[in-house]
Amino acid sequence: MKLTGFAENLHELSLLKENGTEEVILGMRAFSRFGRLDENTFFPMVKRARELGLRIIFEWDILMTEESFKKTVADISPFLDVADAVRVQDPGAYHWAIQQTKKPLQFVAENGNHNIEALLGWCHAGAGRIERIILSIELSRDSILDYCQKLPVPAELLGLGRILLFYSPRSLLSPLNPERETVNEDIHALGESEESPHKGFPVLENRHGTFMFHIKEFCLLDYASDLKSLGLSFLRIDQRFNERNFFPEAAKTANREKMFESFREEYPQELMRGFYHVNKSDVLFPKLKNMRLQNRSGDYLGEVLEAEKGSHLAILVKNLRGIRVGDKFRIVHPKGALFEGEIHSLKDVNMTEQTFIPHDDLAIIPFINGVWVKSQVFLSTTNE
Amino acid sequence: MKTTLPEVLAPAGSLEKLKVAVLYGANAVYAGGQKFGLRTAADNFTLDELREGMDFAHARGSKVYVVLNSFLHDKDLAELPDFVRFLEEIGADAVIVSDLGVVRTVRALSKIPVHVSTQASTLNVEAAKFWKSMGATRIVLGREVSIKDAGIIRREADIEIEMFIHGSMCMAYSGNCVISNFTQGRDSNRGGCAHSCRFEYTLEDLATKEKKSAFFMSSKDLQGLRLLKDFIDAGIDSLKIEGRMKSHLYAGTMSKVYSEALRYYEEHGDFLSDDLLNWEKELSKVSHRSYTEASLENPAGAESIFNERENNSAAEWKMVGTVLKSSPESGIVIEVRNAFNQGDELEILPFRGSPVTVVAHEIMDLTRKTILRTKPTTIVRLPYHAGINSSQLVRQKSV
């Protein structure tokens, strides 16, 4: 397993080289969400990277509406031409790069793509040009193992860096400071949500929109050897937001030349491993559902819309077969109590006695003590 | 040359809402089963209900698209084939998908048309071409795309285009927000969104150290009524209304307004009608945040931020019930959701045409005993009024 990372100046290129990496990811302001290189600084970086023998990965990870896309592809060629590979996330960039360039592609599958079928799809659609898949940090260890075994190309995962929570194309910080004069200046803020006990979400507004990050950084450096054993090919160290670049310390930690505990104490941000052990982000879903509403198949006859004590129950018939005199039923109260009975008397909405009430009509039956509105009526046995 | 009008595609959070949307004019509805969608807390449909909803819509010339737009994990995907086969058997008109693995699975198992969800944030011609090459027949564009750009995508990628015209909006690129995942352990892209963007945040500018509180991530609601002509001119195939979690009144009103507006255009070739103001009034009668045209013309700016607390949203009218039956014998039988009094002025929304004002001079309960005030979760009768039909919605101006 190899380490990879970003460089925004010549010193950081040297740091990468000195710590054993064979490549560098270069991000430019115009094409990368968080890149800060411009055309004046990009080419010297390329030159120096070449001198150091580093492979150049050009990061083009912004999402683009059509107008923005056309402008971007009109400007991108000089920079793309000098890169060894291009890293994309927008499916449009992916498709364009396959059709219009000869560069190897690295596809950022960090957003969704939590199944092997999707990942294989991106590889296969790439017509042999996909050289790497960047996996989501929401994947569990088991999934990473599975994917590394099944993918036809090497996989990469974030080993240390910010967790991007939110990416909007809209400028959301500058409206708070309309007096700001500088256009396109990056704005950095810390956010504190009224809903969350967490404080200090980093928020960034730049020319590509607004981004919010988790208060903690993602870190799997203590699992580096485990990831290697799973078959992961690249571990990415992202230090673009720290004042001091901790790449050397991170590399030593990943290589077990430095104790993780020591690294964690030294590192300026709190760290978390996300869903590495297990992803149970759907475990709360049953609690979000109204379970009473989940039992409406098969023998479900309808719902009690009115319960007039001492008089009647009005049931809206929702079963296509309707309700008949002689049907044996069970009624489930919203709180779970069960009532059983048989239909001896059945009236329609005009309170006229009937032997059958069809689907979508009101069926009026005598009141049953304890049954209340929203109780559900099920067929026990039929009179057919 | 006759202009092809876009379809009105309405949300169906439940079987009842599906029926409401279809009866009020939606050309198509989108609905979710118990799994694979993004509205975990919605009623959603059982298999029986999906079948019934499909039959109900098809009998009235409307289509039903079924959402499979979760970012499915492997274990979810393993459960998908049986559901896809079922959908094909009951005649689903399309599935709405956001994940390439799901596209490939559906394509391998069935001939059901695949619509790529807005969750996939398809924003440009090349992305549309990619999805088309994967077998998609329609793209639901990201809400960041302008109508003008959508027309270009339609032409250059040669694929059906669906755009949102109304409803709540994610501030983030759809599918690009995982706040709930990492702060609440609920996968927002599998139906667990906790709507963290709707809360107030205190923001400290790191340059000035100034602190301000704002609902800075909350978006106003989309409303594109006045841009209908632009949608038509751009050749957009489908106009989508967001809101499977919203009320029956919402589903009915939206379906009615947008389908009536398009019918007017079909007859007159323009929208130069006094009805435009009436349609806008109708849209303001359902609960909503302040409206914006967002990025339909130009990229959404500061004016698109809904910097208010959620419960400040406007609701000029409330739904008081649904007509269960209407005949000279039964009178107008209403399932009451919100109480009203004898003498109150109510409006009943016909499936077509202007609302019918009914004064509740006489209210009777189901046993025909006169009452002065209704109660929620009861059934009452009003005197018969010609032209009122079952499933029509009854509303009242909020005090």
Side-chain angles (χ1 to χ4, degrees):
Chain A
M1 186 176 70
K2 296 171 182 170
L3 296 180
T4 186
F6 302 83
E8 296 185 321
N9 54 51
L10 299 177
H11 170 67
E12 288 183 333
L13 281 176
S14 300
L15 282 185
L16 293 179
K17 181 66 181 174
E18 287 161 12
N19 288 281
T21 61
E22 296 170 5
E23 64 181 29
V24 58
I25 307 166
L26 296 182
M28 297 184 69
R29 275 188 192 278
F31 311 106
S32 157
R33 296 174 189 189
F34 311 124
R36 282 187 280 236
L37 298 175
D38 56 28
E39 56 187 49
N40 295 322
T41 51
F42 177 76
F43 289 108
M45 291 286 285
V46 169
K47 182 168 178 285
R48 181 63 182 146
R50 290 266 176 260
E51 289 166 1
L52 292 170
L54 294 171
R55 193 162 183 264
I56 295 166
I57 315 299
F58 184 81
E59 186 177 53
W60 180 21
D61 65 345
I62 53 171
L63 302 180
M64 295 154 284
T65 56
E66 180 58 21
E67 191 178 338
S68 162
F69 188 88
K70 284 201 168 114
K71 184 174 182 330
T72 301
V73 297
D75 295 341
I76 203 168
S77 292
F79 312 105
L80 212 51
D81 285 347
V82 297
D84 297 300
V86 56
R87 174 172 292 214
V88 296
Q89 176 161 355
D90 189 317
Y94 168 95
H95 191 255
W96 182 88
I98 290 168
Q99 302 287 324
Q100 304 295 331
T101 77
K102 292 189 167 62
K103 298 287 175 191
L105 256 67
Q106 300 184 354
F107 183 69
V108 181
E110 288 184 309
N111 201 46
N113 295 295
H114 294 156
N115 59 77
I116 187 64
E117 190 65 23
L119 295 169
L120 289 172
W122 291 109
C123 293
H124 293 157
R129 298 269 300 287
I130 306 300
E131 69 164 23
R132 191 183 305 176
I133 290 283
I134 291 91
L135 299 175
S136 164
I137 60 170
E138 293 177 68
L139 297 178
S140 66
R141 182 186 184 278
D142 289 347
S143 295
I144 295 167
L145 170 64
D146 187 42
Y147 299 166
C148 288
Q149 287 176 345
K150 291 177 180 168
L151 282 173
V153 300
E156 175 188 310
L157 187 67
L158 179 65
L160 176 68
R162 275 191 176 177
I163 298 168
L164 178 62
L165 297 179
F166 172 93
Y167 173 15
S168 170
R170 299 195 217 180
S171 300
L172 303 179
L173 292 179
S174 48
L176 300 174
N177 296 289
E179 65 278 8
R180 258 181 199 274
E181 289 175 2
T182 314
V183 180
N184 280 338
E185 179 191 355
D186 290 0
I187 305 174
H188 294 269
L190 288 179
E192 181 182 331
S193 163
E194 62 176 339
E195 113 192 95
S196 165
H198 306 305
K199 294 180 179 12
F201 291 98
V203 185
L204 163 67
E205 179 188 310
N206 64 21
R207 65 168 68 183
H208 301 302
T210 305
F211 305 84
M212 188 167 90
F213 303 89
H214 200 280
I215 56 168
K216 296 180 183 177
E217 286 196 11
F218 187 78
C219 179
L220 289 179
L221 294 178
D222 45 340
Y223 292 92
S225 53
D226 189 36
L227 288 163
K228 185 179 177 184
S229 73
L230 300 182
L232 188 76
S233 300
F234 293 90
L235 193 65
R236 187 172 73 258
I237 311 292
D238 184 354
Q239 289 292 291
R240 288 175 294 177
F241 298 100
N242 285 335
E243 281 183 23
R244 184 187 144 196
N245 191 321
F246 277 79
F247 194 94
E249 290 82 356
K252 285 186 178 65
T253 307
N255 294 327
R256 292 188 151 186
E257 296 161 19
K258 182 180 176 78
M259 295 290 289
F260 175 69
E261 291 307 319
S262 162
F263 175 80
R264 187 162 63 183
E265 279 175 23
E266 195 179 357
Y267 198 65
Q269 311 296 335
E270 282 193 76
L271 302 172
M272 68 186 291
R273 66 176 72 94
F275 301 99
Y276 186 65
H277 287 314
V278 64
N279 185 328
K280 287 187 174 177
S281 57
D282 60 348
V283 77
L284 290 172
F285 288 2
K287 292 181 181 172
L288 301 178
K289 287 181 183 289
N290 183 343
M291 294 313 289
R292 193 182 65 82
L293 298 174
Q294 307 311 309
N295 305 313
R296 302 185 304 249
S297 288
D299 56 359
Y300 178 57
L301 277 180
E303 180 178 331
V304 176
L305 295 190
E306 178 175 86
E308 187 63 36
K309 200 169 184 180
S311 175
H312 62 265
L313 299 175
I315 299 165
L316 184 62
V317 180
K318 294 189 174 178
N319 191 308
L320 293 171
R321 74 176 280 284
I323 291 183
R324 297 166 197 280
V325 169
D327 283 348
K328 289 184 177 164
F329 62 82
R330 60 183 194 282
I331 297 180
V332 181
H333 187 278
K335 290 187 175 172
L338 187 68
F339 303 85
E340 292 183 297
E342 181 175 335
I343 293 178
H344 298 295
S345 166
L346 191 59
K347 292 177 182 172
D348 64 16
V349 69
N350 295 317
M351 305 304 272
T352 306
E353 287 285 346
Q354 302 286 351
T355 56
F356 168 72
I357 300 291
H359 173 246
D360 257 354
D361 272 8
L362 272 184
I364 316 295
I365 65 170
F367 181 73
I368 298 169
N369 205 18
V371 173
W372 193 234
V373 169
K374 294 192 184 297
S375 296
Q376 292 179 301
V377 186
F378 297 88
L379 188 65
S380 295
T381 55
T382 72
N383 187 32
E384 290 168 309
Chain B
M1 189 179 74
K2 188 172 162 54
T3 306
T4 304
L5 293 179
E7 70 180 8
V8 173
L9 173 56
S14 67
L15 179 58
E16 283 178 27
K17 289 177 193 171
L18 178 149
K19 291 178 179 178
V20 166
V22 168
L23 289 170
Y24 278 100
N27 308 108
V29 295
Y30 58 103
Q34 295 297 321
K35 290 182 178 176
F36 314 119
L38 283 175
R39 296 290 177 268
T40 297
D43 291 357
N44 292 318
F45 287 62
T46 62
L47 299 184
D48 287 346
E49 288 172 338
L50 271 176
R51 189 189 296 273
E52 185 183 337
M54 209 70 68
D55 291 346
F56 182 91
H58 290 168
R60 289 156 184 81
S62 296
K63 294 178 178 175
V64 181
Y65 308 143
V66 179
V67 293
L68 307 175
N69 59 344
S70 264
F71 285 169
L72 299 190
H73 290 211
D74 292 284
K75 67 182 170 65
D76 308 317
L77 197 63
E79 297 175 19
L80 186 62
D82 285 348
F83 189 56
V84 170
R85 289 187 197 101
F86 170 77
L87 292 179
E88 185 156 55
E89 179 212 321
I90 64 172
D93 296 287
V95 290
I96 304 172
V97 174
S98 56
D99 178 274
L100 183 55
V102 181
V103 174
R104 283 160 55 91
T105 302
V106 173
R107 285 269 53 82
L109 291 170
S110 79
K111 291 186 163 47
I112 304 175
V114 171
H115 297 176
V116 174
S117 167
T118 195
Q119 280 288 102
S121 275
T122 307
L123 305 170
N124 50 61
V125 171
E126 290 294 327
K129 284 181 178 173
F130 167 76
W131 287 112
K132 185 180 177 185
S133 74
M134 292 293 103
T137 58
R138 177 184 290 189
I139 306 290
V140 189
L141 291 175
R143 277 169 267 207
E144 296 76 20
V145 179
S146 68
I147 299 171
K148 183 177 156 225
D149 278 356
I152 294 170
I153 296 169
R154 173 81 177 83
R155 270 196 317 278
E156 294 188 14
D158 190 23
I159 190 167
E160 284 185 18
I161 293 296
E162 181 176 308
M163 290 186 80
F164 278 91
I165 190 170
H166 198 102
S168 302
M169 298 178 72
C170 287
M171 186 62 95
Y173 283 116
S174 289
N176 282 265
C177 176
V178 289
I179 300 175
S180 303
N181 307 41
F182 281 94
T183 63
Q184 306 211 17
R186 287 165 51 170
D187 190 339
S188 54
N189 293 312
R190 281 192 293 169
C193 175
H195 303 283
S196 302
C197 56
R198 300 296 181 185
F199 288 92
E200 188 175 36
Y201 287 75
T202 303
L203 292 149
E204 181 185 358
D205 187 316
L206 292 181
T208 64
K209 299 297 174 193
E210 195 177 356
K211 281 189 178 181
K212 286 189 176 169
S213 292
F215 297 84
F216 81 115
M217 282 198 289
S218 181
S219 177
K220 289 180 181 174
D221 286 355
L222 181 66
Q223 200 264 68
L225 181 70
R226 281 184 181 257
L227 300 174
L228 271 176
K229 175 94 168 56
D230 297 336
F231 283 107
I232 294 167
D233 291 346
I236 305 310
D237 300 276
S238 179
L239 300 177
K240 187 170 207 161
I241 298 158
E242 179 276 345
R244 280 193 290 137
M245 294 289 285
K246 291 181 177 163
S247 67
H248 295 68
L249 183 60
Y250 175 91
T253 304
M254 296 304 141
S255 301
K256 178 178 165 66
V257 167
Y258 285 105
S259 60
E260 283 188 355
L262 287 173
R263 270 198 300 274
Y264 182 93
Y265 183 87
E266 193 169 31
E267 288 168 18
H268 298 87
D270 60 51
F271 289 105
L272 304 173
S273 164
D274 290 342
D275 287 344
L276 182 61
L277 293 175
N278 291 332
W279 295 324
E280 284 183 327
K281 271 190 200 166
E282 288 298 308
L283 296 180
S284 72
K285 287 181 179 178
V286 292
S287 179
H288 63 91
R289 303 177 188 92
S290 307
Y291 284 135
T292 174
E293 288 177 352
S295 299
L296 292 176
E297 284 195 297
N298 298 300
E303 76 292 340
S304 66
I305 299 171
F306 184 64
N307 191 11
E308 293 175 38
R309 191 166 292 284
E310 279 291 274
N311 56 12
N312 289 344
S313 62
E316 290 182 22
W317 290 64
K318 63 183 177 185
M319 180 174 165
V320 299
T322 305
V323 176
L324 293 173
K325 190 94 176 170
S326 181
S327 70
E329 300 76 38
S330 66
I332 303 172
V333 181
I334 297 172
E335 179 197 0
V336 179
R337 302 271 174 97
N338 281 295
F340 60 93
N341 298 317
Q342 188 186 51
D344 280 358
E345 195 172 279
L346 308 176
E347 277 191 1
I348 300 181
L349 271 184
F351 298 132
R352 287 192 182 197
S354 302
V356 177
T357 301
V358 173
V359 178
H361 289 303
E362 185 182 13
I363 311 173
M364 290 187 290
D365 68 12
L366 206 48
T367 63
R368 299 186 190 276
K369 192 169 71 184
T370 299
I371 56 175
L372 298 177
R373 177 174 170 76
T374 65
K375 291 185 290 190
T377 67
T378 59
I379 296 169
V380 300
R381 296 176 199 269
L382 299 182
Y384 177 67
H385 193 297
I388 304 302
N389 293 300
S390 59
S391 296
Q392 289 178 345
L393 304 170
V394 188
R395 69 188 181 190
Q396 183 182 22
K397 195 167 176 56
S398 299
V399 179

